Amino acid sequence: MGSDIRRAIVVGAGIAGLTTALRLRGIGWDVLLLERAPARRRGGYALTLTGGGHAAAEALGILPGLRERHFDVDLLFVNADGGRRFTLPADRAEALRGGRALNLLRGDIEDVLFTAVPDDVEVRFGATVTSIAQDEDGVRAVLDDGTTERADLLVGADGLHSAVRDLAFDVGPSVLRDLGYTVAAFSLRKLPAGLAERAVTTFSPPGRSIAVASLGRDRAAAYFIHKSSDPAGDRALGPEQTLANRYGDLGWVVPDLLGQLADTDSVYFDGVAQIAADRWHRGRVVLVGDAAWCLTPFSGYGASLSMAGADLLGTALEAEPADIPAALTAWEARLRPEADRFQTRARRAAAMHAPSTRSELLRRDFLLRAASLRPVTHVLAHLSRH
Ligand SMILES: Cc1cc2nc3c(=O)[nH]c(=O)nc-3n(C[C@H](O)[C@H](O)[C@H](O)COP(=O)(O)OP(=O)(O)OC[C@H]3O[C@@H](n4cnc5c(N)ncnc54)[C@H](O)[C@@H]3O)c2cc1C
């Protein structure tokens, strides 16, 4: 590119894209961040940031901002009438996750990252790429407004259905490994009456699960997951119709949640699928986060690995500034075993999230009840750190 200052185009302003922008700017790169949505996404769903994600947040200096928004939550499991089956208290749940865990809304993480990204990072909303070409000197991206941008590196952080992956990797839909579930998650205006504050309350009728997370300060989110033989058909039908069809027979707080879906400002609705791409970089184009390795909600680690992976990308580029493809090769070699491990774990955990049969439900309950016993928590916490 003729100058010593490196330039990156980052596509997607989710957790992976924002972390990449922050990290690359921190090592002196110029960054252009493109986000398809017309404005910042808010709220979203509840998630836990842990492990490498927690460590990356610390390294990036955003841990204090995230801690301010964290709330300890008890995990409550209930029957169809809301009666308590059992509870996993907050301290045990946290110990199981290795003790360094933050319960947040996805929007909290994006908010804190966005605030930390310096003002000299150009962010364009309502913008995306329509073609990508590269040679030995750089990458050329044509944007949807017809303009062209050049850079040393293009980062596809545009999620599960990545356009960058389609444009630059020639892999097609076969990289999507469908796990046979559909998930909907959205923020709530109001916690339904009778539900505990600062808790995640879960009800699991066969093949389905409904959870409501209350994270304090009037922040609450709902999560629906069901086994589906046709996640693409569910997507085509849309969240309101699909959830009405699949959950309309249920009582408890479900009618209230379905009512709130109609006017929420942020719904995540998709099939549960992993990305099984045999490479995450090609020349000067690299995929990060769900675009590269999507772990799914079943792993409980997608946001964490998005943040850790983006942070590590900065480390790899800093270590090998003169040879970007070599830096990307080293980065991928370092990260792939962890992504593979969490993808495997997620596939194994699927039945825990939406038990289909009574025996699966009893097994899940048994494992969680056992995990809540203090000596067992201690051993599992130790194992989860290794
Ligand atoms: C219900 C649920 C619960 C979860 N729980 C956890 C948990 O407890 N712990 C955990 O660590 N992870 C969890 N995850 C996973 C985690 O949320 C994701 O792995 C993570 O958010 C992925 O971030 P990302 O930036 O890679 O992708 P995304 O969040 O999908 O962001 C992609 C961004 O790119 C934008 N975009 C898309 N296409 C284009 C385009 N063509 N051009 C420009 N921009 C584009 C999108 O608008 C978006 O802003 C959960 C996920 C779900 C759905």
Side-chain angles (χ1 to χ4, degrees):
M1 294 271 306
S3 136
D4 283 348
I5 298 190
R6 299 286 175 155
R7 181 166 199 253
I9 300 169
V10 179
V11 184
I15 293 169
L18 287 165
T19 307
T20 304
L22 175 61
R23 186 69 170 91
L24 294 189
R25 188 68 200 110
I27 57 169
W29 286 55
D30 274 346
V31 180
L32 169 64
L33 183 53
L34 304 175
E35 167 58 49
R36 181 179 61 181
R40 297 272 319 287
R41 302 186 300 177
R42 307 270 167 199
Y45 42 82
L47 55 73
T48 303
L49 191 73
T50 179
H54 193 284
E58 189 162 24
L60 291 161
I62 58 167
L63 205 49
L66 294 175
R67 275 213 187 102
E68 272 175 26
R69 296 161 187 242
H70 156 81
F71 276 99
D72 289 330
V73 288
D74 294 328
L75 305 185
L76 313 178
F77 295 85
V78 300
N79 295 317
D81 60 1
R84 194 78 56 93
R85 288 167 68 85
F86 64 97
T87 300
L88 189 58
D91 60 333
R92 310 289 162 76
E94 188 179 335
L96 281 176
R97 291 173 181 135
R100 285 155 56 87
L102 296 170
N103 301 314
L104 301 157
L105 292 179
R106 188 199 61 211
D108 291 331
I109 304 181
E110 293 183 356
D111 243 10
V112 170
L113 281 167
F114 196 84
T115 306
V117 169
D119 289 344
D120 57 7
V121 168
E122 186 188 350
V123 186
R124 281 188 215 162
F125 288 102
T128 188
V129 285
T130 56
S131 82
I132 299 169
Q134 55 176 320
D135 54 34
E136 291 205 344
D137 293 332
V139 196
R140 192 166 43 82
V142 178
L143 275 47
D144 56 343
D145 64 1
T147 57
T148 299
E149 294 286 345
R150 286 191 65 86
D152 299 285
L153 174 70
L154 187 140
V155 182
D158 49 347
L160 180 60
H161 304 285
S162 169
V164 172
R165 196 176 61 229
D166 287 347
L167 292 170
F169 286 75
D170 195 23
V171 282
S174 64
V175 288
L176 278 178
R177 184 190 285 144
D178 175 12
L179 300 194
Y181 293 83
T182 292
V183 61
F186 49 95
S187 43
L188 298 170
R189 275 176 289 107
K190 200 167 172 298
L191 187 66
L195 288 193
E197 302 255 4
R198 298 192 185 185
V200 178
T201 308
T202 303
F203 165 46
S204 300
R208 300 175 282 181
S209 257
I210 303 103
V212 181
S214 157
L215 296 186
R217 289 200 211 117
D218 291 334
R219 295 176 315 151
Y223 170 84
F224 289 76
I225 184 145
H226 61 266
K227 255 183 137 53
S228 173
S229 55
D230 185 15
D234 287 349
R235 280 183 76 198
L237 215 53
E240 285 188 42
Q241 195 55 54
T242 300
L243 267 55
N245 292 349
R246 297 302 299 254
Y247 301 88
D249 59 320
L250 299 174
W252 184 49
V253 297
V254 175
D256 183 341
L257 301 176
L258 296 182
Q260 293 200 46
L261 172 63
D263 59 359
T264 183
D265 55 2
S266 134
V267 187
Y268 178 94
F269 180 67
D270 211 333
V272 177
Q274 297 184 329
I275 295 298
D278 56 11
R279 54 187 313 179
W280 299 336
H281 69 95
R282 194 166 206 175
R284 291 165 175 273
V285 181
V286 62
L287 302 172
V288 182
D290 280 7
W293 53 70
C294 187
L295 304 180
T296 76
F298 298 157
S299 72
Y301 202 65
S304 298
L305 197 62
S306 293
M307 199 178 269
D311 182 47
L312 193 63
L313 180 64
T315 306
L317 290 165
E318 201 176 14
E320 192 85 66
D323 189 345
I324 290 174
L328 299 180
T329 301
W331 168 79
E332 181 169 336
R334 176 92 190 272
L335 207 56
R336 199 172 261 283
E338 195 171 12
D340 288 348
R341 190 157 58 91
F342 277 97
Q343 282 196 336
T344 305
R345 225 184 242 194
R347 291 195 294 277
R348 289 198 186 124
M352 293 277 280
H353 286 256
S356 292
T357 57
R358 187 161 163 73
S359 69
E360 277 181 3
L361 179 68
L362 291 175
R363 183 166 176 270
R364 181 201 72 180
D365 288 2
F366 171 76
L367 290 173
L368 286 170
R369 280 179 207 260
S372 71
L373 300 172
R374 205 174 281 280
V376 182
T377 309
H378 187 72
V379 173
L380 291 176
H382 178 77
L383 291 175
S384 78
R385 280 195 287 270
H386 295 90

